[in-house]
Amino acid sequence: MAVNPWVLLDTASVPGGEGDLRLMRRGTEFCIMTGATALMNSRMSGSEEALASLSWEAIAGHPKPHMLIGGLGMGFTLRAALAILPADARITVAELVPAVVDWARGPMAEVFGTCLSDPRVTIRLGDVGTALAGEKLYDAILLDVDNGPEGLTRDSNQQLYSVKSLRRTLTSLRPGGVLAVWSSHTSAPFTKRLVTAGFAVREEKVRARGKKGGERHHIWLAKKPG
């Protein structure tokens, strides 16, 4: 049986001159790539959805929760969060690459549905690090900005995961808030940095396709003492 070939729909430069992203399509399937690496695929959403559900479990008692999602991607985490957060919640999505938002409203509109027009959602273009410049702003901060704590698409993403930046993130969380970090792999040095920064850390193994299996991915749930 013949397999449809991948078709290139668009290419976008990562701000700072740190490579390109390519939006590919094969039938009803989408893929965002950098170089030869597939960053995300529309058929594999389980671990990104778990990022939202595990974060919400950690803060479920918080009134009027405010969640920051670093990285729009294909919207898996955002849609999962909208499905479980209360009507009085707020979700801020920080996306570095403007074209990713354009793709969500254009060629991938069927994938995203109505989530970008939900009144709880604010899209903020720019580096997620700039959204962490305040104190006690968020109940949950979800980071899915790269393939893990070691920058792949952008070297400066590693700065988010330094002890200095993690301490800044800690101040951006309300007491009892959680920092959740998605990764394609585990990292003992990153776990150590989280603890050094003052977080209580729990780690979860999740599957790329949820209950259907797929590759094993990793989520850190780092809690700020309440």
Side-chain angles (χ1 to χ4, degrees):
M1 182 177 179
V3 177
N4 292 331
W6 284 103
V7 176
L8 175 64
L9 297 183
D10 196 15
T11 300
S13 297
V14 177
E18 299 187 56
D20 296 321
L21 299 181
R22 302 194 313 281
L23 177 63
M24 312 291 293
R25 181 171 188 167
R26 181 173 63 186
T28 59
E29 180 182 2
F30 293 91
C31 183
I32 295 178
M33 302 188 68
T34 179
T37 301
L39 295 177
M40 58 202 75
N41 184 288
S42 60
R43 295 177 58 192
M44 299 179 186
S45 60
S47 60
E48 289 88 351
E49 292 166 352
L51 185 65
S53 60
L54 290 169
S55 299
W56 173 237
E57 288 174 9
I59 63 162
H62 290 214
K64 297 182 179 180
H66 188 183
M67 177 180 285
L68 171 66
I69 299 176
L72 176 61
M74 291 189 173
F76 301 132
T77 300
L78 174 59
R79 291 195 299 280
L82 288 170
I84 53 179
L85 264 62
D88 61 358
R90 289 186 293 153
I91 302 175
T92 299
V93 181
E95 175 52 53
L96 178 68
V97 184
V100 171
V101 181
D102 294 337
W103 296 344
R105 293 184 169 129
M108 290 198 294
E110 291 185 8
V111 175
F112 277 80
T114 60
C115 67
L116 295 185
S117 61
D118 190 292
R120 292 171 289 177
V121 175
T122 298
I123 302 296
R124 179 172 178 167
L125 291 176
D127 194 320
V128 67
T130 63
L132 299 174
E135 293 187 1
K136 300 178 182 177
L137 298 177
Y138 306 105
D139 298 277
I141 297 170
L142 286 59
L143 296 182
D144 182 8
V145 298
D146 215 314
N147 247 26
E150 296 79 27
L152 174 65
T153 62
R154 193 166 178 251
D155 291 340
S156 56
N157 282 340
Q158 295 183 49
Q159 297 177 10
L160 282 173
Y161 304 120
S162 68
V163 172
K164 180 179 179 180
S165 290
L166 290 171
R167 284 175 173 153
R168 182 184 64 177
T169 300
L170 188 74
T171 66
S172 297
L173 284 168
R174 294 172 179 145
V178 66
L179 166 66
V181 179
W182 181 96
S183 177
S184 64
H185 54 275
T186 186
S187 171
F190 180 59
T191 301
K192 184 177 180 180
R193 292 198 297 272
L194 285 168
V195 173
T196 300
F199 289 99
V201 182
R202 176 166 64 93
E203 301 179 50
E204 294 283 346
K205 297 287 187 183
V206 292
R207 304 300 288 267
R209 300 183 66 189
K211 294 181 180 179
K212 295 180 180 179
E215 294 181 5
R216 294 184 183 275
H217 293 160
H218 200 80
I219 292 175
W220 285 270
L221 296 163
K223 200 84 179 283
K224 179 175 180 175

